Amino acid sequence: MQTVKIIDHIINELKLYCDKAGLKGFVTGVSGGIDSAVTSSLCARTGKSVILLHMPVYQAKDQVSLAMHHIENLEKNYHNVKGVNIELTPAFQAIENSFPKNIQDRLTMGNTRARLRMLTLYAFASHNKMLVAGTGNKVEDFGVGFYTKYGDGGVDISPIANLMKSEVYELGKQLNVSRDILNAPPTDGLWHDNRTDENQLGATYPELEWAMKFEEKRKDEKNLNAREKQVLLIYRKYHRANSHKMNPIPVIKIPESYL
C-alpha cells in the first residue's frame, strides 16, 4: 500500500472538488476516533479553510479528551484550521422532552444523536460556504452499512470511503495521528453504555474486511472454518438489512399513459 501517494491523491481530489464547487473549504466532525482523525487531518492538509466540530451528546470523558486533543494539535500545526466545541446535550434533551416516550428506544435515539450532529455540520457549512466531509470508511459505508441514514451518512464528499478500516489506520500512522486514537477501540459514541463497534456488530473490522473481500471474489465456502462461516453470516445480515442506505433512493416511475 503506497500510503503517501494515497494521502496526496485524496488531498488533491478534495481541493479539486472544493474549487469546482466554488466553496471555501471543509467542515467535519471530530469524535476522537480514527476515521474522523484521518479525515480531519486530510482536510487540514488541503490548505483550504477547515472547521472541526466536536459535538458531544452525553459523551464519555475519554472520547471528549481524545477529540479535543486532536483538534488542538491540528489548530497548532495548521493555520487554516479552526476547532469549535458545540455541546449538543441540551438540544438533544429538548428532543427527548418533545418526542413521545413510546418511540424513544435506544436505536431510534442513537440515530437521532447522529442526525442532530448532521444538522449542526450543515449549519456551519451553509453559513461559511463550505462542504461537509464525511468520515465513513469502505467496510462501514459499502459493506455493512454501519452508519446513520441522514446522520453521519449525510455528507458532501467522502474522503476515506474507498479505504478499508485497516488502511485508514495506516494513513493515520503516516499522518501522525496520536497513539491514543490509534489504540482506542472503535465506537460510534451513540450509546449511554459506550459500547464498541465490535460489540454491536459481533465481528472485528479485520474479520468484516475479510468477509467483504470474500463476497467480492465469490469464493467457494466449503473450506471455511466455523468462525469464518459465522462472520460471513454476520456480514451478509448487515449488508442485506442496510442495503437501503447504500443503494440510490428508489424513484417510483409513473407510466406515461397515466400522465
Side-chain angles (χ1 to χ4, degrees):
M1 178 176 166
Q2 300 183 60
T3 309
V4 174
K5 286 188 176 181
I6 291 172
I7 289 171
D8 290 342
H9 177 73
I10 294 173
I11 291 169
N12 287 332
E13 289 296 308
L14 283 168
K15 290 191 288 188
L16 285 171
Y17 190 79
C18 188
D19 289 340
K20 186 176 180 180
L23 296 174
K24 297 179 179 179
F26 304 94
V27 178
T28 194
V30 175
S31 65
I34 184 62
D35 294 325
S36 68
V38 167
T39 299
S40 55
S41 297
L42 291 166
C43 289
R45 291 193 178 200
T46 65
K48 303 287 187 184
S49 295
V50 176
I51 297 176
L52 304 181
L53 295 185
H54 178 233
M55 302 169 284
V57 180
Y58 294 131
Q59 227 62 43
K61 289 183 179 179
D62 59 334
Q63 294 171 20
V64 172
S65 176
L66 288 173
M68 295 306 296
H69 186 254
H70 176 73
I71 291 172
E72 288 166 4
N73 280 342
L74 288 182
E75 284 182 311
K76 178 181 176 181
N77 291 304
Y78 297 93
H79 65 86
N80 54 313
V81 172
K82 178 183 179 182
V84 180
N85 184 60
I86 301 288
E87 177 55 71
L88 291 180
T89 302
F92 185 72
Q93 289 171 334
I95 294 172
E96 288 179 310
N97 292 331
S98 300
F99 281 7
K101 295 297 181 185
N102 64 329
I103 72 162
Q104 294 192 40
D105 61 85
R106 288 187 174 187
L107 180 59
T108 296
M109 299 312 290
N111 284 333
T112 299
R113 286 198 201 191
R115 291 177 179 129
L116 178 58
R117 290 178 177 139
M118 180 275 293
L119 181 155
T120 307
L121 287 165
Y122 272 97
F124 275 80
S126 175
H127 178 75
N128 293 285
K129 294 181 170 47
M130 293 179 166
L131 295 162
V132 175
T135 61
N137 60 67
K138 186 175 183 178
V139 71
E140 290 175 342
D141 281 8
F142 302 110
V144 292
F146 192 62
Y147 60 90
T148 299
K149 196 173 187 178
Y150 306 119
D152 49 330
V155 303
D156 294 315
I157 187 168
S158 297
I160 61 171
N162 198 227
L163 296 170
M164 292 291 197
K165 190 83 168 183
S166 59
E167 294 168 333
V168 175
Y169 275 106
E170 290 304 310
L171 261 65
K173 294 173 186 175
Q174 185 67 42
L175 291 164
N176 295 317
V177 169
S178 76
R179 188 175 298 277
D180 289 338
I181 290 178
L182 290 169
N183 293 335
T187 177
D188 57 16
L190 299 179
W191 305 87
H192 289 300
D193 58 8
N194 297 313
R195 67 190 69 177
T196 67
D197 292 352
E198 292 172 1
N199 291 152
Q200 295 184 64
L201 291 165
T204 66
Y205 277 108
E207 287 177 324
L208 293 171
E209 289 182 23
W210 166 84
M212 190 172 185
K213 292 174 183 176
F214 185 93
E215 289 289 77
E216 289 172 349
K217 294 179 180 179
R218 299 188 178 185
K219 294 182 178 180
D220 191 342
E221 297 178 35
K222 65 181 180 181
N223 294 322
L224 299 182
N225 61 40
R227 177 56 182 169
E228 288 171 336
K229 290 178 181 178
Q230 182 182 26
V231 169
L232 202 54
L233 287 174
I234 291 170
Y235 176 86
R236 287 171 175 168
K237 178 188 75 171
Y238 280 103
H239 186 81
R240 181 172 59 252
N242 292 326
S243 61
H244 67 96
K245 302 180 189 179
M246 298 178 272
N247 295 328
I249 297 170
V251 175
I252 297 176
K253 295 182 179 180
I254 309 300
E256 287 291 333
S257 61
Y258 292 0
L259 300 173

